[in-house]
């Protein structure tokens, strides 16, 4: 049988095509389920880890629950381990940094895409160069700068650092979306007498809500999990964030492993919940931002 005859036979037999397609989709779902299980396993292991004491961590298998789950690990780290203070420090620093980054990046992107000025390509290039600089190679210059500004051991230096280093990637995410926005709406608003400020805050900013959510989640994950800046710039215990506070349970001679696991579980939950709730908006924002009109 020739190739042409085989192709004609397949066209005449849609049942065989549907069976073949079903097998392919079935295999794809199996692969995706396996990948999902592999992604979830570390979280399950950490949860079981947080319900054990230090002895059970080393004696029991990794995915075995102790005979008596120690829920008091969570209570003790929250009330006695100062984790509540670290948690709220992480929350306000993350929220303020994300809001400041999104606002500044939106203003910069609006100026880049809607205004005509000579240094526009040069300034955009400067922001893009910022993405090439290793963040932690700037620790010593930043420490010297904050020392001169009397901002060492001050949470303001974390907000400034996070905002500065997240601006380039946030501008890059917003840029493609701004290019795809129809300018007719803005032109109509200008014809009706709207100024630049009203056009930006009342028209452009609401239209970019989906991509702003994407950029905000990316910024939030980085700010929440950041360790080196906090460990370098902050020395007072009451100013530290959750990622650094976990070190309180690691001693020179003994370590409370159950408390460490409970602290790590608490630190993961906000990011995990935010991602699950906003995952659809993240995909929508990335897809929209990748299209240039």
């Amino acid at each position: 049988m020739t190739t042409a005859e085989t192709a004609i036979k397949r066209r005449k037999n849609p049942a065989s095509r549907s069976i073949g397609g079903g097998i392919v989709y079935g295999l794809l779902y199996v692969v995706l389920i396996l990948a999902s299980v592999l992604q979830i396993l570390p979280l399950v292991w950490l949860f079981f880890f947080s319900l054990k004491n230090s002895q059970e961590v080393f004696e029991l298998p990794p995915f075995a629950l102790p005979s008596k789950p120690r829920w008091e690990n969570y209570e003790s780290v929250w009330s006695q381990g100062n984790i509540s203070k670290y948690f709220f420090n992480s929350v306000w620093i993350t929220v303020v940094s994300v809001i400041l980054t999104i606002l500044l990046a939106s203003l910069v992107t609006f100026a880049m895409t809607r205004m005509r000025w000579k240094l526009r390509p040069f300034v955009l290039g400067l922001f893009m160069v910022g993405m090439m600089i290793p963040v932690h190679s700037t620790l010593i210059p930043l420490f010297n700068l904050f020392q001169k500004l009397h901002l060492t051991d001050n949470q303001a230096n974390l907000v400034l650092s996070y905002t500065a280093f997240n601006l380039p990637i946030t501008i890059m995410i917003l840029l493609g979306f701004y290019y795809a926005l129809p300018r007719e709406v803005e032109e109509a608003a200008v014809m009706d007498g709207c100024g630049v400020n009203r056009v930006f805050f009342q028209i452009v900013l609401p239209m970019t809500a989906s991509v702003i959510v994407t950029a905000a989640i990316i910024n939030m994950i980085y700010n929440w999990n950041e360790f080196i800046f906090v460990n370098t710039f902050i020395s007072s215990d009451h100013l530290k964030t959750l990622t650094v506070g976990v070190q309180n349970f690691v001693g020179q001679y003994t370590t409370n492993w159950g408390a460490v696991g409970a602290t790590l579980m608490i630190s993961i939950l906000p990011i995990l919940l935010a991602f699950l709730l906003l995952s659809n908006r993240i995909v929508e924002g990335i897809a929209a931002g990748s299209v240039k009109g």
Side-chain angles (χ1 to χ4, degrees):
M1 184 180 293
T2 64
T3 306
E5 291 174 344
T6 304
I8 292 170
K9 187 176 181 181
R10 285 178 180 173
R11 287 197 204 97
K12 291 181 178 178
N13 192 359
S16 63
R17 283 188 297 163
S18 61
I19 292 171
I23 293 173
V24 171
Y25 278 110
L27 291 174
L28 179 61
Y29 280 122
V30 169
V31 172
L32 292 175
I33 290 170
L34 289 175
S36 302
V37 170
L38 289 175
Q39 294 292 323
I40 293 171
L41 278 179
L43 293 177
V44 175
W45 170 80
L46 182 60
F47 177 67
F48 290 167
F49 184 96
S50 68
L51 298 177
K52 301 174 184 176
N53 59 25
S54 298
Q55 185 178 359
E56 291 169 336
V57 165
F58 295 100
E59 290 181 352
L60 295 176
F63 291 98
L65 271 172
S67 56
K68 182 185 176 182
R70 300 180 181 275
W71 297 102
E72 60 268 21
N73 286 343
Y74 288 89
E75 183 183 355
S76 63
V77 299
W78 188 265
S79 58
Q80 302 171 18
N82 212 21
I83 291 302
S84 59
K85 182 65 177 176
Y86 302 146
F87 183 86
F88 290 114
N89 284 342
S90 293
V91 168
W92 90 259
I93 290 171
T94 299
V95 169
V96 172
S97 301
V98 168
I99 292 174
L100 194 57
T101 304
I102 294 296
L103 180 59
L104 291 176
S106 297
L107 290 169
V108 170
T109 309
F110 182 78
M112 294 290 180
T113 57
R114 295 298 187 269
M115 298 179 182
R116 297 289 180 264
W117 38 292
K118 291 182 180 179
L119 295 178
R120 184 181 57 167
F122 175 74
V123 173
L124 180 60
L126 285 180
F127 279 111
M128 294 303 104
V129 167
M131 296 178 61
M132 306 176 192
I133 300 173
V135 174
H136 300 129
S137 68
T138 63
L139 281 175
I140 295 176
L142 280 176
F143 187 84
N144 292 333
L145 175 64
F146 292 140
Q147 210 167 28
K148 293 176 182 177
L149 296 174
H150 305 289
L151 286 177
T152 50
D153 200 23
N154 189 319
Q155 291 172 331
N157 61 49
L158 297 177
V159 174
L160 293 174
S161 300
Y162 295 164
T163 302
F165 284 104
N166 284 327
L167 265 178
I169 184 65
T170 308
I171 291 171
M172 190 184 72
I173 293 171
L174 296 177
L175 206 59
F177 192 87
Y178 269 75
Y179 278 124
L181 283 178
R183 301 196 181 197
E184 289 78 7
V185 179
E186 301 165 45
E187 292 170 357
V190 172
M191 293 293 291
D192 289 339
C194 284
V196 175
N197 292 334
R198 286 191 64 188
V199 168
F200 175 74
F201 286 104
Q202 295 184 12
I203 297 175
V204 175
L205 211 57
M207 290 171 65
T208 59
S210 60
V211 74
I212 282 177
V213 170
T214 304
I217 290 293
I218 293 172
N219 279 274
M220 186 175 71
I221 292 172
Y222 172 82
N223 296 344
W224 186 270
N225 294 327
E226 207 284 320
F227 175 84
I228 300 295
F229 282 155
V230 183
N231 206 34
T232 304
F233 300 148
I234 303 295
S235 54
S236 299
D237 187 68
H238 68 281
L239 298 177
K240 292 180 179 179
T241 59
L242 201 55
T243 50
V244 177
V246 70
Q247 294 181 109
N248 288 355
F249 304 104
V250 180
Q252 183 176 0
Y253 301 106
T254 59
T255 299
N256 188 344
W257 291 109
V260 170
T263 304
L264 292 174
M265 200 68 201
I266 291 172
S267 69
I268 287 171
L269 285 177
I271 295 295
L272 187 63
L273 289 175
F275 185 83
L276 291 175
L277 291 173
L278 300 172
S279 58
N280 291 336
R281 300 298 296 272
I282 294 171
V283 174
E284 179 186 342
I286 292 175
S290 64
V291 179
K292 180 178 176 180

